[in-house]
Amino acid sequence: MTRYHALLLGVFSAVWVCAAIEPRYPHDWLLENYLVFVFVPLIVLTARYFRLSDLSYTLITAFMLLHVVGSHYTYAEVPFGYTLQHWFGSGRNMYDRLVHFCFGLLLAYPLREIFVRVVKARGVWTYWFPLELVLAFSAGYEIIEWLVAVRVDPTAGLAFLGAQGDVWDAQKDMALAVVGAVLALLMVALIHWRHDPAFGADLRASLKIEPGDKPLGEQALREMLGKDGREDGD
């Protein structure tokens, strides 16, 4: 672990401890922090085998800080959310909207880095796959919220759900995550377009199947099984 990574972990730990002291709704705090208990150790452990860039870890830490602040107050009662409510002329606390937007804005870049470095994606797919994954994670979280809310104490469930009476809350949260991801990926694309002479050619090449490229999946499996059958017959 580098000094910078230790600094990020130290800042997050300090904020987490502060947020854990007398949270407004202790049962909701625990529900919100199950994600922290799972993903923070996972990020720390996987860094030993696959280390992301400092920028990615900074963005991930920023998002996690937003989350733990929300867990202290509940997303529907964070003070800054009321400020956003006033700015936007909304009828509800807007902190949860901010966090869902930042989920896409802050995590699209780390997801893109994983696709580029691990999956070896290139061109168009380095933008499309992170966008899809942001939407998939957002939808998965909304499903988890629903499953948890109907199984725990109603007060904690409503605080965890944070819908604030909006029947379209889940859809709006997912949409904001996608908007945040689109903005982040557009910024990355503009930087590459400005500084990478091969940017356009790489986008076009990524949509083309090379001549002689072998088929994958079921077609390749059928060909393999057919070949084995002919060999057995011989």
Side-chain angles (χ1 to χ4, degrees):
M1 180 181 293
T2 67
R3 289 183 178 180
Y4 184 69
H5 297 159
L7 173 63
L8 290 177
L9 184 59
V11 170
F12 173 79
S13 300
V15 175
W16 183 86
V17 169
C18 291
I21 298 174
E22 298 184 354
R24 187 158 298 182
Y25 299 98
H27 293 299
D28 176 68
W29 177 89
L30 181 60
L31 292 174
E32 298 284 3
N33 277 272
Y34 281 132
L35 293 176
V36 176
F37 301 150
V38 172
F39 285 107
V40 171
L42 183 64
I43 292 169
V44 172
L45 291 174
T46 54
R48 298 182 57 185
Y49 306 98
F50 178 77
R51 180 170 293 176
L52 297 172
S53 64
D54 287 349
L55 176 57
S56 285
Y57 285 124
T58 302
L59 295 172
I60 292 170
T61 303
F63 174 75
M64 296 301 294
L65 290 174
L66 289 171
H67 176 70
V68 297
V69 170
S71 72
H72 177 80
Y73 295 98
T74 78
Y75 276 76
E77 298 183 27
V78 176
F80 182 63
Y82 292 117
T83 302
L84 291 174
Q85 178 180 347
H86 175 71
W87 288 352
F88 286 93
S90 175
R92 53 166 289 154
N93 187 298
M94 294 289 286
Y95 188 79
D96 68 323
R97 299 282 193 246
L98 172 67
V99 175
H100 283 281
F101 172 76
C102 288
F103 176 79
L105 184 70
L106 298 177
L107 298 189
Y109 182 87
L111 291 173
R112 182 180 185 273
E113 183 178 352
I114 292 172
F115 275 111
V116 170
R117 295 177 61 191
V118 177
V119 185
K120 306 302 181 185
R122 63 192 182 101
V124 171
W125 309 112
T126 64
Y127 302 96
W128 178 252
F129 288 146
L131 183 61
E132 283 195 331
L133 201 54
V134 165
L135 180 56
F137 280 148
S138 297
Y141 183 76
E142 297 298 336
I143 292 172
I144 291 172
E145 277 191 339
W146 159 55
L147 293 175
V148 171
V150 298
R151 284 169 171 78
V152 299
D153 175 77
T155 302
L158 288 174
F160 181 64
L161 197 60
Q164 301 183 59
D166 188 349
V167 296
W168 303 110
D169 180 69
Q171 290 84 350
K172 291 176 181 177
D173 289 345
M174 290 187 286
L176 282 170
V178 170
V179 170
V182 168
L183 290 176
L185 295 169
L186 276 176
M187 286 188 283
V188 173
L190 288 172
I191 292 171
H192 281 270
W193 175 72
R194 178 67 178 83
H195 298 285
D196 183 3
F199 175 70
D202 191 43
L203 290 180
R204 293 189 295 271
S206 67
L207 295 171
K208 180 181 178 182
I209 297 178
E210 297 296 333
D213 185 66
K214 295 182 179 180
L216 302 175
E218 295 179 357
Q219 184 175 347
L221 180 61
R222 287 196 298 268
E223 292 178 358
M224 182 180 67
L225 293 175
K227 182 179 178 180
D228 291 343
R230 290 193 297 272
E231 290 177 352
D232 291 342
D234 294 342

